[in-house]
Amino acid sequence: MTRVLINGIDSHLGAQVAQRLSVFPEVSIIGVGRKTPPAPVGRADWLLAHLSGLQMVELLRAEAIDVVVQLAFVENGASREEAVQQNVLGSMELLGACAKADVQRVVLRSHTALYGASPLNPTYITEHRPLAKINSPGWLRDVSEVEHFSAEFAARHPQLSLVSVRCAPLIGDTSPLVTYLRQPNPSMLAGFDPCFQLLHLEDAAAGFALAALSHAPGPFNLASSDTICLSQAIKLAGGRPNMVLEPVVSLAFAMGNRAILGRWPFELSFLRHSCIVDTCRAHGDLGWNPEHSAVDALMALQADEPDLARRELAAEALRAFLERRSEGVHDE
Amino acid sequence: MSDDVRQNQRPEEQPGEIEEEIPVMSAPPPPAPRKAAAMDKRNAPSPPLKPSVFLEEEEEIVVTTPPPSLQRARTPAPPPFWSDRQNDHAPDDDVPISGASASSLYENELELRNLAEQTNTNVDAMGKLAAGTLKLIADNMRQMTDQQIERVNEMLRGVDLKDYLDPAFWEGIGIILRYQVDEQVAFIKRRMSGQYVTDAYGMDREIIDLVRPSLMFLYRTWWRVSVEGLEHVPAEGRALLVGNHSGVLPWDGAMIATAVAEEHPAQNQRLVRSMHLHWFSTLPFVSPALAALGQVPGLPENAIRLLEQDELVSVFPEGLKGVGKLFKDRYKLARFGRGGFVQAAIRAQAPIVPVAVVGAEEIYPMFANAENIAKLLGMPYFPLTPFFPWLGPLGFIPLPTRWSITFCEPLRTDMYDPAEADDPLTVLGLSELVRTTIQETIDRRLEERSSIF
């Protein structure tokens, strides 16, 4: 019997991981989140609370948890301070709790963008490649901080197996890259067309589930097997690229105007150079195989995602409204 | 829709079109017999390949050039040679060609060559250039629609082919080229919707097909490349082509790739992935263009990976020292880096094929390197040639020297253990061996060469 705790079951990814894990009968799943999961979570039992470190230790010990999957991560929407609080400090606290409660394995969510985009990077980056330094503040720097902290932490706690799963930009949820691609005219640097990979939410969930149950150590790259050029991605998502000259961007940056690139979620260098990872380890050691190609994921984004999102929002609002109404009726 | 297209290209319907075109367009010196022949043919259903009759009487250059193109013009548009494309949209909008009109241009090309052969040598070169240009246009025309071809034929009507020395002839060709640009708009529109496939390095087969006719023009007509030893390049499986680098701009890589794609005995249009200096990846516009053409940043990891995927990879170990060579140092090979290419070959157990390119050193005779300007512009070198930068963009036109490319016998690396890739003695020894092989071949070819043009 493997007992898995998913921190952050209130995200689409968390819910999907829970559902994937429910397939295995010898796995019991507990989810922790701050609000109701947005999607079905299979057999998982969930707790809605904002636990402190010590409370987390208590929960982990009481349930004799073997594996923790950390997916509580704010990418956009929250204020910077709040995001750092949850992303960096939350992860540090959780790692500390896991070490104290004798958890065997912790799976952390990371990002392929941590390798950086540079002409000196090989076209296919393997997990051995040292991570680049992320300078600009933002959610990516949080990921980078967590990754560096966890590497040090793992060195000091050899009994704890720490696995970071480095995901390519997610498609299928509201991720920063999706926000960028949803703009009618996403900005690009004129004269550059970097290639990159995407990762469908379902494939990411499958990867996390496999990483939680396997015993293979070390980081894993997860990404679609095909690659796509940025200009093509924008066109497939239904937009038209807006070409900006590099000197103009540099000038705007020097003058403190970072809005010139619109909602581009990464550093400027990612608009110039490709960042593509090798996923052989995930194939070999985890037996992970992506079902969605980057092109499919993007076509889906163009076709029905806005509709779907609207329908989901409407359903949620309706549910909340009816609940409130029925409560009001009972009160009377 | 695609059925209609295919019907248009059926061989029975083509002769009719050809015969309508020929008498008006080419206006050959004795028009009567030609017309009569055409009339006869109209009744005969099977078209005799008229140009091939001329062909067999021609000299080597002519014989080597047209057959593949003629075949291509007559058979329906060749299927894309990559079969793993997801949505094959080609038949619908862009490629439907009436090969007939294009092939009438091919016939004009042959006729020009014949005329050029018969006249004295000074005019001869000009005629061949004209013929090559016509072929370039015809190759491109295979990508055009019927209306476009009709318009081009309008342009050519009444132009006497003997007048290729007349500026008006070249003006006409210029106008035709402008129509070709119009024609690309449909292609661009489809690409605007994102319907294409690239690989992780950014290579785009459609772009490669698009520039192939122009590269062929450079290869056959501009530089008249003669090639030797292509049988040393494996028809399949991995190999590392190692060449001498020269000529300020890396045209030599493009010509090696063209030689392998077009002239290899196996005729399987194998792609050569050239490694370029990673500095080029930082240049706007240059970087995506190189990537689309299948070039790859020159990093050992990339080379090993491509070789392990059984690709043909070409490297120029001289690097910048080779391309930025001064004219006075021509054909003296620079140092071969630190033998990184040998390491990659040993790791991937790929044979090394030394390649000697002669002729590329003279295309931009660089008599000085303005280092200060180069530093200012962030470039590795700033060439001063008799034409650049004095003539502006015209300085980019390379001189039409005559080239030869020699593929030497492959050096095996499979007797080494992959671990020996870390042994400096083995690596540097093999690197020096490759260097001397290339230098000796170059010296031999230089002796054989009578003139640089």
Side-chain angles (χ1 to χ4, degrees):
Chain A
M1 191 75 172
T2 314
R3 292 164 213 275
V4 182
L5 181 137
I6 299 173
N7 190 25
I9 201 161
D10 50 353
S11 64
H12 275 276
L13 184 58
Q16 286 227 18
V17 173
Q19 205 173 19
R20 292 258 164 180
L21 284 172
S22 305
V23 176
F24 304 97
E26 74 288 357
V27 177
S28 79
I29 311 139
I30 289 178
V32 177
R34 297 189 185 180
K35 50 184 200 286
T36 324
V41 292
R43 289 190 287 109
D45 201 357
W46 32 270
L47 164 70
L48 294 192
H50 184 187
L51 296 178
S52 74
L54 286 177
Q55 287 163 333
M56 183 58 94
V57 175
E58 200 182 328
L59 174 67
L60 292 174
R61 279 201 179 134
E63 288 289 328
I65 297 290
D66 304 306
V67 182
V68 171
V69 183
Q70 158 68 328
L71 298 173
F73 208 87
V74 188
E75 277 168 338
N76 42 13
S79 79
R80 222 27 249 131
E81 199 45 50
E82 210 177 302
V84 173
Q85 187 71 31
Q86 185 175 347
N87 295 347
V88 182
L89 299 175
S91 299
M92 287 165 75
E93 218 170 25
L94 183 75
L95 281 179
C98 290
K100 209 160 239 172
D102 292 327
V103 172
Q104 290 160 13
R105 191 172 172 85
V106 180
V107 181
L108 289 165
R109 179 179 165 190
S110 182
H111 203 287
T112 54
L114 296 191
Y115 295 113
S118 145
L120 294 173
N121 273 350
T123 302
Y124 280 95
I125 302 171
T126 57
E127 286 86 350
H128 305 294
R129 188 95 195 152
L131 299 182
K133 207 167 151 51
I134 306 286
N135 295 316
S136 57
W139 58 276
L140 206 53
R141 195 164 74 179
D142 299 348
V143 183
S144 154
E145 257 185 72
V146 172
E147 177 105 28
H148 280 109
F149 175 79
S150 68
E152 277 174 35
F153 194 82
R156 278 185 275 115
H157 297 84
Q159 83 285 0
L160 185 70
S161 138
L162 265 173
V163 180
S164 76
V165 176
R166 295 173 184 156
C167 301
L170 282 182
I171 294 281
D173 189 8
T174 48
S175 77
L177 190 72
V178 172
T179 321
Y180 165 81
L181 288 174
R182 282 261 171 78
Q183 303 172 102
N185 294 91
S187 299
M188 281 178 70
L189 280 188
F192 289 99
D193 197 0
C195 292
F196 61 101
Q197 290 154 312
L198 296 170
L199 184 60
H200 196 277
L201 195 70
E202 289 172 16
D203 290 327
F208 276 103
L210 290 168
L213 297 184
S214 116
H215 293 284
F220 292 104
N221 292 335
L222 294 188
S224 63
S225 43
D226 60 335
T227 60
I228 194 164
C229 286
L230 184 60
S231 63
Q232 194 185 2
I234 292 172
K235 290 168 195 163
L236 285 178
R240 273 285 161 80
N242 169 32
M243 296 293 183
V244 191
L245 283 172
E246 198 177 355
V248 178
V249 176
S250 314
L251 190 71
F253 273 31
M255 287 161 62
N257 173 12
R258 299 193 72 86
I260 185 155
L261 288 179
R263 294 174 165 273
W264 178 244
F266 305 109
E267 292 193 325
L268 182 60
S269 60
F270 284 86
L271 280 175
R272 228 181 276 136
H273 305 295
S274 304
C275 176
I276 291 165
V277 295
D278 179 308
T279 52
C280 288
R281 274 213 72 200
H283 291 302
D285 292 357
L286 297 183
W288 174 79
N289 276 310
E291 285 166 12
H292 298 267
S293 71
V295 175
D296 291 347
L298 278 172
M299 298 292 263
L301 192 70
Q302 180 184 20
D304 49 36
E305 278 283 316
D307 259 4
L308 199 73
R310 212 180 304 130
R311 240 181 289 139
E312 264 176 33
L313 272 180
E316 215 168 280
L318 180 65
R319 216 182 304 126
F321 176 76
L322 291 178
E323 247 169 57
R324 210 170 57 232
R325 292 291 292 176
S326 66
E327 276 166 17
V329 169
H330 286 301
D331 284 351
E332 281 167 19
Chain B
M1 172 67 202
S2 61
D3 271 354
D4 293 348
V5 174
R6 226 159 276 149
Q7 271 180 1
N8 282 339
Q9 293 171 344
R10 258 189 306 178
E12 299 97 278
E13 296 192 15
Q14 284 190 12
E17 266 184 75
I18 296 177
E19 284 137 24
E20 277 168 21
E21 306 295 324
I22 290 168
V24 201
M25 279 184 51
S26 52
R34 178 66 56 85
K35 230 169 214 163
M39 295 300 273
D40 285 345
K41 261 204 300 171
R42 191 163 295 173
N43 299 328
S46 71
L49 285 179
K50 188 171 37 144
S52 66
V53 179
F54 289 114
L55 274 182
E56 276 139 33
E57 299 161 4
E58 289 306 329
E59 277 179 24
E60 34 102 20
I61 300 178
V62 186
V63 176
T64 47
T65 325
S69 55
L70 274 173
Q71 283 161 13
R72 262 185 270 152
R74 265 154 220 281
T75 49
F81 55 87
W82 67 99
S83 48
D84 51 354
R85 292 265 308 266
Q86 285 167 337
N87 37 2
D88 211 355
H89 27 56
D92 270 355
D93 37 358
D94 62 333
V95 204
I97 321 116
S98 72
S101 305
S103 68
S104 67
L105 263 189
Y106 285 126
E107 290 180 18
N108 282 345
E109 173 215 344
L110 285 178
E111 204 161 309
L112 261 179
R113 275 192 206 282
N114 293 342
L115 282 171
E117 290 294 321
Q118 286 153 17
T119 46
N120 59 35
T121 43
N122 284 342
V123 194
D124 169 48
M126 199 65 178
K128 277 187 182 149
L129 183 63
T133 313
L134 269 183
K135 179 169 152 44
L136 169 66
I137 293 166
D139 277 350
N140 273 322
M141 256 170 63
R142 294 192 303 116
Q143 306 180 351
M144 297 168 79
T145 59
D146 283 333
Q147 305 125 332
Q148 291 285 345
I149 291 183
E150 193 41 51
R151 270 150 87 189
V152 171
N153 282 335
E154 286 287 329
M155 300 303 311
L156 273 181
R157 228 156 265 183
V159 176
D160 192 332
L161 284 184
K162 274 186 294 182
D163 288 348
Y164 54 76
L165 290 176
D166 181 353
F169 175 85
W170 293 100
E171 217 170 274
I173 285 186
I175 294 169
I176 296 169
L177 288 174
R178 267 224 309 281
Y179 278 121
Q180 291 198 349
V181 173
D182 289 353
E183 186 45 41
Q184 304 306 339
V185 170
F187 171 74
I188 290 167
K189 270 193 191 139
R190 181 167 59 72
R191 296 194 49 103
M192 285 303 281
S193 63
Q195 304 289 321
Y196 54 93
V197 182
T198 53
D199 78 350
Y201 305 92
M203 180 178 77
D204 190 330
R205 298 273 191 172
E206 279 182 356
I207 301 284
I208 294 180
D209 285 347
L210 201 66
V211 299
R212 179 164 288 143
S214 310
L215 283 179
M216 283 302 287
F217 172 76
L218 287 174
Y219 183 85
R220 300 251 187 243
T221 308
W222 198 252
W223 286 315
R224 294 143 292 152
V225 183
S226 63
V227 61
E228 220 176 74
L230 260 178
E231 67 276 6
H232 296 314
V233 179
E236 47 195 54
R238 59 192 75 174
L240 184 67
L241 309 179
V242 181
N244 58 313
H245 218 358
S246 50
V248 182
L249 290 180
W251 285 112
D252 41 4
M255 289 300 110
I256 290 176
T258 311
V260 173
E262 301 290 337
E263 303 224 59
H264 195 279
Q267 282 296 324
N268 50 0
Q269 297 219 325
R270 243 193 124 173
L271 264 175
V272 178
R273 311 295 301 255
S274 309
M275 312 290 285
H276 63 74
L277 188 75
H278 52 74
W279 172 74
F280 284 110
S281 305
T282 63
L283 297 180
F285 303 102
V286 174
S287 143
L290 288 178
L293 295 177
Q295 303 229 357
V296 176
L299 296 164
E301 292 93 336
N302 288 346
I304 294 171
R305 197 178 178 100
L306 283 169
L307 286 174
E308 281 173 349
Q309 290 167 354
D310 279 334
E311 298 259 11
L312 213 49
V313 178
S314 80
V315 293
F316 298 97
E318 287 175 276
L320 283 177
K321 298 186 294 299
V323 226
K325 214 180 282 172
L326 292 183
F327 190 65
K328 65 179 168 59
D329 298 325
R330 61 190 184 278
Y331 299 119
K332 277 179 232 147
L333 286 193
R335 181 165 55 81
F336 260 24
R338 282 159 192 79
F341 72 97
V342 176
Q343 283 181 314
I346 293 181
R347 287 235 163 81
Q349 302 272 292
I352 298 175
V353 182
V355 183
V357 182
V358 170
E361 291 274 20
E362 290 96 353
I363 58 173
Y364 303 104
M366 169 168 162
F367 58 77
N369 176 8
E371 282 172 36
N372 291 335
I373 301 179
K375 223 175 265 172
L376 198 70
L377 298 177
M379 289 162 48
Y381 52 86
F382 188 85
L384 300 177
T385 76
F387 311 105
F388 185 86
W390 333 113
L391 296 184
L394 281 182
F396 281 108
I397 299 177
L399 291 182
T401 55
R402 188 185 285 274
W403 285 31
S404 78
I405 302 178
T406 315
F407 295 86
C408 308
E409 249 178 71
L411 302 163
R412 284 172 50 200
T413 53
D414 50 357
M415 62 276 209
Y416 298 103
D417 187 79
E420 281 184 82
D422 295 322
D423 173 20
L425 285 183
T426 314
V427 169
L428 294 179
L430 204 51
S431 162
E432 193 52 36
L433 180 62
V434 175
R435 188 169 172 269
T436 42
T437 311
I438 297 176
Q439 183 73 66
E440 279 165 10
T441 315
I442 288 179
D443 292 344
R444 185 162 54 79
R445 295 306 292 249
L446 277 177
E447 267 171 37
E448 290 167 11
R449 184 170 76 160
S450 50
S451 143
I452 65 167
F453 293 106

